[in-house]
Amino acid sequence: MTDISRPAACVYGAPPLALAQPAPGATQVSPLVPGALSLEALEPASLASAVIAAPPGTIERRYVLALTLRALAPGAPLTALAAKEKGGSRLRKELETFGCQVEEIGRQHQRICHTVRPATPDGLDAAIAAGGPQQRDGGLWTQPGVFSWDRSDPGSDLLIAALPDLSGQGADLGCGLGVLARAVLASPKVARLDLVDLDRRAVEAARRNVEDARARFHWADVRSAPELDGLDFVVMNPPFHDTGLEDKALGQAFIRRAHQLLRRGGTLWMVANRHLPYEAVLAEHFSRVTPKGDGKGFKIYEARK
């Protein structure tokens, strides 16, 4: 039986199968797939092959490529691909800076790069250090690729300014770095706060940023897990992009999930970009919806179940 901690091949993300076929049984290593193996944990020079759906951010993408090259055995094949406008146009040059010889093709608006791991790749340590966990100004732990990793998010700041002292048991859905959670836990009346995020890197950063015994952390998809019924409150700044594309249905799903988790009389506090159509789904699921703020392109609502 194959040891899952020492996989023979890996796949990062969800590359289109018509463009790149991972090896049979390849182990998922994306931080956006709950339960996936950590790419950082792979043993150096242990992989026989890898297929990478490269992320769009430059620092994050170079980090993923460098970690993958470190994990591959010398001469092992690597396929990396991305949409041209989402970093694909830079993939070949980035791989070449690591010392790779690259064959590049274009199909279905994607740039697909085939290469093998050089005997002695260049610059891996620097790229891994630049893309790894780090502290930004103010001491907040963060990592490239996480939502608002390098700056304060104005929507979250607006919501924090509007929040009352909450009490009882609650959840921060899509917790990110834990900025909202830290504000919520400033209230001594909060008994427990569950922080949930799809991104493993965000959950790991939030663990370091929210040092409070009342906090619990979940690497999970908000839309399906975890089971936290009977909550007194939910706070959230829901995402509205899925695989890089705006998706209003994602935020609407967060609203429905918040309704499921709240007890009767429980409250949802949320912030969203002003243009997003969330009013109808809020009105459908909550008995009272009250605007609580508007500014800098954002809107805030309190919704009572």
Side-chain angles (χ1 to χ4, degrees), residues 11-17 20 22 28 30 32-33 51-54 81 110 243:
V11 57
Y12 184 100
L17 296 181
Q28 179 61 248
S30 169
L32 301 180
V33 178
V51 175
I52 303 298
L81 67 162
Q110 298 262 336
T243 63

Side-chain angles (χ1 to χ4, degrees), residues 7 9 28 58 62 111 124 133 149 155 158-159 179 218 222 229 247 291:
Q28 179 61 248
T58 300
R62 285 179 51 81
R111 288 289 185 267
L124 298 189
W149 75 272
L158 196 67
L159 178 55
V179 174
H218 308 270
V222 164
D229 296 344
D247 182 5

Side-chain angles (χ1 to χ4, degrees), residues 11-292:
V11 57
Y12 184 100
L17 296 181
L19 303 180
Q21 285 278 352
T27 297
Q28 179 61 248
V29 292
S30 169
L32 301 180
V33 178
L37 189 66
S38 168
L39 179 58
E40 293 84 349
L42 297 181
E43 292 288 335
S46 64
L47 289 180
S49 68
V51 175
I52 303 298
T58 300
I59 300 174
E60 178 190 9
R61 185 173 57 253
R62 285 179 51 81
Y63 175 75
V64 170
L65 293 173
L67 283 171
T68 305
L69 286 167
R70 185 180 72 176
L72 285 166
L78 165 63
T79 298
L81 67 162
K84 180 180 178 181
E85 68 279 8
K86 298 289 186 180
S89 62
R90 296 184 289 276
L91 261 180
R92 177 173 186 163
K93 184 174 182 180
E94 289 169 346
L95 285 165
E96 288 174 343
T97 65
F98 293 129
C100 297
Q101 299 294 317
V102 182
E103 175 189 346
E104 181 186 31
I105 60 174
R107 288 179 59 197
Q108 299 180 18
H109 308 291
Q110 298 262 336
R111 288 289 185 267
I112 308 162
C113 292
H114 299 283
T115 187
V116 299
R117 195 262 208 190
T120 55
D122 300 322
L124 298 189
D125 290 344
I128 292 169
Q134 54 200 262
Q135 285 180 289
R136 72 185 196 201
D137 292 345
L140 198 70
W141 281 98
T142 185
Q143 187 170 354
V146 176
F147 170 70
S148 195
W149 75 272
D150 60 348
R151 65 196 182 282
S152 176
D153 173 62
S156 295
D157 292 343
L158 196 67
L159 178 55
I160 288 170
L163 284 176
D165 283 343
L166 297 169
S167 62
Q169 300 183 5
D172 180 355
L173 303 184
C175 66
L177 301 175
V179 174
L180 282 179
R182 298 208 311 182
V184 169
L185 289 167
S187 170
K189 296 183 289 185
V190 173
R192 191 191 81 212
L193 183 67
D194 288 87
L195 287 74
V196 188
D197 205 285
L198 184 68
D199 192 331
R200 172 181 53 78
R201 300 163 301 181
V203 175
E204 290 174 352
R207 286 182 186 276
R208 304 176 81 168
N209 293 326
V210 184
E211 297 185 78
D212 193 303
R214 296 171 292 168
R216 301 180 183 181
F217 303 88
H218 308 270
W219 178 24
D221 189 331
V222 164
R223 294 166 291 185
S224 58
E227 294 300 326
L228 301 169
D229 296 344
L231 297 180
D232 299 297
F233 66 88
V234 169
V235 297
M236 65 184 190
N237 182 356
F240 61 97
H241 286 91
D242 193 6
T243 63
L245 301 175
E246 182 171 318
D247 182 5
K248 64 185 179 183
L250 186 55
Q252 293 169 344
F254 267 59
I255 292 169
R256 295 187 184 97
R257 187 62 175 150
H259 175 265
Q260 292 172 350
L261 297 180
L262 286 164
R263 63 168 175 79
R264 186 177 180 85
T267 57
L268 163 66
W269 282 84
M270 68 170 288
V271 62
N273 289 64
R274 188 181 291 142
H275 73 279
L276 294 170
Y278 293 158
E279 287 77 9
V281 69
L282 283 167
E284 178 186 353
H285 287 83
F286 290 87
S287 63
R288 188 176 72 210
V289 180
T290 308
K292 289 291 186 176

